[in-house]
Amino acid sequence: MLCIQAEKKARIRNNKLEQGAAKVAEELQKYDPQSDPNATGDPYKTLFVARLNYETSEHKIKREFEAYGPIKRVSICGKFLCR
């Protein structure tokens, strides 16, 4: 009985993994960042940083990341609003 339950869980897990992989592959085929009207700049050269302190400024972020290369633009977004 215990073996049957473990097999059922494994089968369900594998089905979910396969469905997720198929959905990712389908979305990847539809993904075209060049046609997004809300995108500014090159989406392949965009870095998202989460969980920033509220007192962090764009200047501080730029200063930290300039060690890795030139930074064109920094925008801090919060609750769907960018400044």
Side-chain angles (χ1 to χ4, degrees), residues 29-63:
Q29 292 294 324
K30 293 191 288 185
Y31 180 61
D32 184 16
Q34 304 301 334
S35 66
D36 187 356
N38 298 322
T40 57
D42 186 356
Y44 291 109
K45 295 180 182 178
T46 301
L47 176 67
F48 295 94
V49 181
R51 302 181 60 101
L52 293 173
N53 186 320
Y54 287 108
E55 288 139 21
T56 302
S57 68
E58 292 174 355
H59 175 72
K60 288 181 182 177
I61 294 172
K62 188 172 184 175
R63 186 179 67 218

